[in-house]
Amino acid sequence: MSSLNTLNVSIPEETRLGWQRMLELLNDTLKAKSIFIACNIEQRIEVLCIASSGNYDSRTTQAIQESQHNSSSHNATGNTTVGYIEALDLTEATINLPIAWPSGEVFGHIYVISDSFNEQFKHNSMLLDSFKISVENQLFLISTLHRLKNNNNHLKNCNSEHSLRISNLNQSLNQEKDRRLAAEQQLVYQKSYDPATGFLNKQTLEHETEKLLNEVEYSKGKLVGVMHMHFTNGTTIESQYGYTVWDKLLVEFRRRLEKHNELEVITARPVTNELVFVWKMQDDTRDLKALSSELIETSRSTFVIDNNTIHLNCCIGASTTKDTNDARQLLSFAAAAMSSCQKSKQNFHRYSDSLSNVNRYMEQQEAYLLQAVRDKNISIYFQPKVCPIQRKWIGAEALLRWQHPNLGNISNENLIHLAEQNGLIYEVGSFVLHSAIEIAAEWSKSIKQFKMSVNVSPLQLQCPRFVEQIKQLLSKHSLAPENLELELTEGSLIADEIVAKATLVELKKLGVTLSLDDFGTGYASFNYLKKFPFDVIKIDKSFIENIERDVTDREIVTSIIHVAKKLQLAVTVEGIETVQQENFIIDQGCEIGQGFLYGKPMSLEEFESKLLSRKKISAQ
């Protein structure tokens, strides 16, 4: 068969309009500045079809619009075009996909102009490839029809063969139409649903919530409820196991929610690590309790995805039409309740006006802290750690303090919590470590075996450079590792046990003392003693407060100290405020005490003054 002169082949208007519709659907999903099909003809670019975002006003679109007024409606080959652009530089294009005739000769290109490859590009890159294949399939059909037309005289003598080819061609055309229709339906689906899980996306969530509100408006006693769920360890799971495992995990999580299925709850995925549930109800107290309990219990269950055993941590916020009848506000209230829940380290919060006031107060505190950190207006106080038998000061715990003119005195725990919420924990944590190690190095020059204790946030422990930071600070200030003690809570370990264990093992090799703080207040304190290389356990003050009157507290403390001795671990007891409490821990063989009986947290100047006074007395 003779070669085909593609310059003489025209693109049917129906085909071009089909490409135009597909481009518009593609751009609805990809949100690019512009997507268009263009051919190069005699140093001019012939744009066959284009889809652009409404706010995109680049020179490409402007040139195309101007060319529509200046050029004829048909090119040299009879194609109906959008217009010509003289020698246009298309280096702005983010994606450039070549389109070829069946012979391999270049027909043109699919250009995509966008600011960046966003999440939509990652999920929908296959759609561009599918569109390219569809265009090339149609070019094949067009070229075949052209060949058949050119060879019509020859085919008159082969009428049956000609009829068969026409029949096959018609069949191919029908199949291609079906494939194009399926692609269009897929694009419409992805405009409304998260492609990875099949849940509603953020845009459709608000629309469906509005529909439910309209339905219950005329239904007596009916309400609409919203629960916004955030997976606090979602980012860690996603980075550790990959996007596919995380998507499968969310689908499996939703499958296990039986009560949600009974109440026909709508599920949406507005962002990667969050799910939103919307449903109609009559008894808000009953339904919120039942559904929130199911979410929490299911998140605590074990999931096995692609041979990976995974657990979830979550916080949930809820709102109902008792709070507002506006769809956008209803969703916003649930998100605000979730945010408050996350900040308070709880599992569930229901929206209320008072909760909104608390959120505003927390936001104000965070803004003040940000300014304080930048202006270096936070300080470190020190509380002595004492050998109870001799009442000798053998160490100190570094505690953050922040005196604000409006908020008053902010304690160590509240400061760390605020810093974790607004992303300042690395800066605040580094400030405490640097200051405490520098001061401990000065003290170690005159006082031997004096240990400085520093609290470590869960976020600090997850930082890949944390061990290296400790090494550098110890080296910089010439402090021996055994003079530094790092105190960690169970929360530091739960976030990611694998990372936590690897970090603690490296710190142990370095020679730093590791202490498990607030021992006895968590779910698995004794289990962590087996898993992690701790040197010290610090018994929480809640067990000491009533030890003079409560037999149970005395038995608990006695048991903890006994187990620690068996495991060759040192014991620190905090909250010692009376001589009777001191006598009790001495009788139990406790090595270290801490509390107001020995001294409240004090400034550096006051602590150093008392420390030096004690040194002089002991030297006499």
Side-chain angles (χ1 to χ4, degrees):
M1 186 176 290
S2 61
S3 62
L4 180 67
N5 185 356
T6 56
L7 292 176
N8 295 326
V9 180
S10 61
I11 304 300
E13 179 66 6
E14 180 185 359
T15 300
R16 191 187 67 79
L17 290 175
W19 293 349
Q20 178 68 36
R21 287 194 300 273
M22 290 288 284
L23 282 182
E24 290 169 355
L25 285 170
L26 268 173
N27 205 26
D28 282 344
T29 300
L30 297 180
K31 307 298 183 185
K33 288 182 177 180
S34 182
I35 306 178
F36 56 94
I37 297 177
C39 306
N40 295 326
I41 299 179
E42 298 178 353
Q43 296 187 336
R44 294 184 300 180
I45 295 178
E46 179 185 351
V47 180
L48 296 178
C49 46
I50 182 169
S52 300
S53 299
N55 58 357
Y56 180 53
D57 190 26
S58 75
R59 55 194 175 83
T60 303
T61 303
Q62 185 177 357
I64 293 170
Q65 290 171 343
E66 291 174 357
S67 68
Q68 287 178 289
H69 298 292
N70 300 330
S71 65
S72 61
S73 61
H74 294 275
N75 64 12
T77 61
N79 289 344
T80 301
T81 67
V82 175
Y84 285 122
I85 309 173
E86 297 289 344
L88 178 65
D89 179 13
L90 287 173
T91 57
E92 186 186 4
T94 306
I95 294 177
N96 178 348
L97 294 178
I99 309 170
W101 289 99
S103 63
E105 181 182 353
V106 175
F107 165 77
H109 295 77
I110 300 172
Y111 294 99
V112 180
I113 298 176
S114 180
D115 288 328
S116 62
F117 286 98
N118 56 26
E119 188 173 342
Q120 291 292 342
F121 277 116
K122 295 176 184 177
H123 282 295
N124 300 295
S125 59
M126 291 179 62
L127 292 175
L128 278 171
D129 293 333
S130 298
F131 179 58
K132 173 183 179 294
I133 292 171
S134 175
V135 171
E136 290 182 338
N137 286 340
Q138 291 178 49
L139 289 177
F140 169 78
L141 296 174
I142 291 168
S143 64
T144 302
L145 282 171
H146 193 79
R147 289 181 188 276
L148 290 173
K149 183 178 179 181
N150 290 342
N151 295 307
N152 188 48
N153 292 333
H154 173 73
L155 293 175
K156 285 180 179 179
N157 299 324
C158 310
N159 190 44
S160 63
E161 182 182 350
H162 175 72
S163 298
L164 179 60
R165 288 186 179 183
I166 293 296
S167 175
N168 290 337
L169 182 59
N170 285 332
Q171 184 179 0
S172 298
L173 282 170
N174 290 331
Q175 290 173 348
E176 180 54 36
K177 286 181 179 179
D178 291 341
R179 282 193 291 268
R180 188 172 64 187
L181 179 61
E184 289 177 355
Q185 291 173 342
Q186 179 68 11
L187 285 172
V188 170
Y189 174 83
Q190 293 191 359
K191 284 179 63 178
S192 302
Y193 296 88
D194 172 52
T197 60
F199 303 146
L200 295 182
N201 59 23
K202 185 177 181 179
Q203 179 181 352
T204 313
L205 170 62
E206 187 174 326
H207 175 69
E208 291 299 318
T209 304
E210 187 68 49
K211 281 176 58 178
L212 285 184
L213 289 173
N214 291 334
E215 290 175 12
V216 302
E217 184 178 0
Y218 304 104
S219 301
K220 187 176 180 180
K222 285 282 187 178
L223 298 168
V224 172
V226 175
M227 285 200 295
H228 195 124
M229 184 177 196
H230 172 75
F231 296 98
T232 54
N233 61 338
T235 301
T236 302
I237 295 172
E238 198 171 35
S239 61
Q240 185 172 347
Y241 300 107
Y243 293 106
T244 302
V245 169
W246 176 241
D247 293 336
K248 289 181 180 179
L249 178 58
L250 291 180
V251 172
E252 174 59 20
F253 175 83
R254 178 62 182 87
R255 188 191 64 80
R256 297 185 185 184
L257 302 177
E258 296 179 358
K259 288 187 177 66
H260 285 61
N261 294 332
E262 293 172 7
L263 294 174
E264 298 180 354
V265 175
I266 296 171
T267 305
R269 186 188 188 186
V271 294
T272 301
N273 296 332
E274 295 177 4
L275 295 179
V276 174
F277 306 95
V278 187
W279 75 103
K280 291 188 290 186
M281 60 183 174
Q282 283 187 315
D283 188 332
D284 57 320
T285 302
R286 180 196 64 199
D287 284 2
L288 287 177
K289 182 179 180 180
L291 296 186
S292 62
S293 297
E294 183 178 52
L295 288 175
I296 294 168
E297 290 171 8
T298 305
S299 69
R300 289 174 177 172
S301 60
T302 300
F303 294 85
V304 179
I305 308 294
D306 293 348
N307 297 320
N308 300 300
T309 301
I310 305 173
H311 296 87
L312 292 167
N313 298 321
C314 71
C315 52
I316 305 163
S319 63
T320 73
T321 40
K322 286 184 177 180
D323 304 311
T324 179
N325 287 315
D326 179 78
R328 185 171 296 178
Q329 204 169 40
L330 187 63
L331 294 168
S332 176
F333 283 174
M338 180 276 295
S339 179
S340 174
C341 183
Q342 186 178 8
K343 291 177 180 179
S344 63
K345 305 294 184 183
Q346 296 179 345
N347 291 121
F348 178 78
H349 271 180
R350 181 171 179 175
Y351 179 82
S352 65
D353 290 337
S354 60
L355 182 64
S356 180
N357 293 333
V358 169
N359 283 341
R360 282 194 291 271
Y361 176 73
M362 291 290 289
E363 289 169 3
Q364 186 183 49
Q365 279 191 322
E366 290 173 7
Y368 286 149
L369 177 60
L370 177 61
Q371 191 64 43
V373 171
R374 289 175 176 173
D375 296 341
K376 297 183 178 179
N377 287 334
I378 55 176
S379 57
I380 299 179
Y381 275 46
F382 301 90
Q383 186 175 29
K385 288 188 171 184
V386 178
C387 172
I389 297 176
Q390 304 168 336
R391 290 204 177 180
K392 177 183 178 182
W393 288 18
I394 58 175
E397 181 178 1
L399 299 166
L400 276 171
R401 286 294 184 271
W402 175 31
Q403 185 67 39
H404 190 272
N406 297 329
L407 302 177
N409 188 30
I410 308 297
S411 66
N412 184 73
E413 290 182 1
N414 289 336
L415 255 176
I416 291 176
H417 180 63
L418 278 173
E420 287 177 338
Q421 294 304 318
N422 62 14
L424 287 171
I425 188 60
Y426 300 107
E427 193 169 351
V428 172
S430 295
F431 167 76
V432 176
L433 280 170
H434 185 280
S435 301
I437 290 175
E438 183 180 19
I439 293 167
E442 284 298 316
W443 291 347
S444 67
K445 294 176 182 177
S446 56
I447 304 175
K448 303 300 180 184
Q449 297 180 340
F450 194 87
K451 199 180 293 287
M452 178 69 78
S453 298
V454 180
N455 293 283
V456 176
S457 160
L459 295 178
Q460 286 178 276
L461 194 64
Q462 300 301 315
C463 179
R465 293 194 66 257
F466 183 67
V467 176
E468 187 61 31
Q469 181 187 21
I470 297 294
K471 286 181 182 179
Q472 290 176 359
L473 288 174
L474 291 174
S475 175
K476 178 180 179 180
H477 298 289
S478 301
L479 180 67
E482 56 267 23
N483 290 120
L484 177 64
E485 179 176 333
L486 299 179
E487 297 188 5
L488 306 101
T489 62
E490 286 189 23
S492 304
L493 311 175
I494 292 172
D496 191 323
E497 290 190 8
I498 296 174
V499 173
K501 184 172 184 178
T503 302
L504 294 183
V505 167
E506 290 301 311
L507 291 170
K508 180 79 170 180
K509 290 178 182 177
L510 188 61
V512 173
T513 301
L514 302 175
S515 174
L516 181 56
D517 199 5
D518 299 335
F519 189 84
T521 60
Y523 295 106
S525 297
F526 284 106
N527 191 37
Y528 289 132
L529 296 180
K530 182 174 67 173
K531 286 184 178 181
F532 301 99
F534 286 107
D535 305 291
V536 183
I537 60 173
K538 191 172 184 180
I539 299 176
D540 187 70
K541 62 183 178 182
S542 61
F543 295 108
I544 304 301
E545 291 173 345
N546 300 315
I547 205 165
E548 299 165 34
R549 301 180 301 276
D550 195 316
V551 176
T552 302
D553 281 348
R554 289 200 297 271
E555 292 296 333
I556 290 173
V557 174
T558 300
S559 299
I560 292 174
I561 295 174
H562 177 73
V563 171
K565 296 295 182 184
K566 288 289 186 181
L567 297 175
Q568 297 182 331
L569 299 174
V571 178
T572 300
V573 179
E574 62 179 349
I576 305 299
E577 298 184 1
T578 67
V579 174
Q580 289 80 4
Q581 292 170 345
E582 180 186 52
N583 289 335
F584 175 78
I585 66 170
I586 291 173
D587 291 341
Q588 300 304 318
C590 177
E591 296 92 342
I592 307 167
Q594 182 178 350
F596 288 178
L597 180 65
Y598 308 117
K600 296 181 178 181
M602 56 194 84
S603 67
L604 174 61
E605 294 77 13
E606 183 182 359
F607 189 91
E608 283 186 338
S609 176
K610 291 187 177 181
L611 183 63
L612 291 175
S613 297
R614 288 176 169 274
K615 181 188 176 186
K616 290 178 182 178
I617 293 172
S618 62
Q620 291 176 354

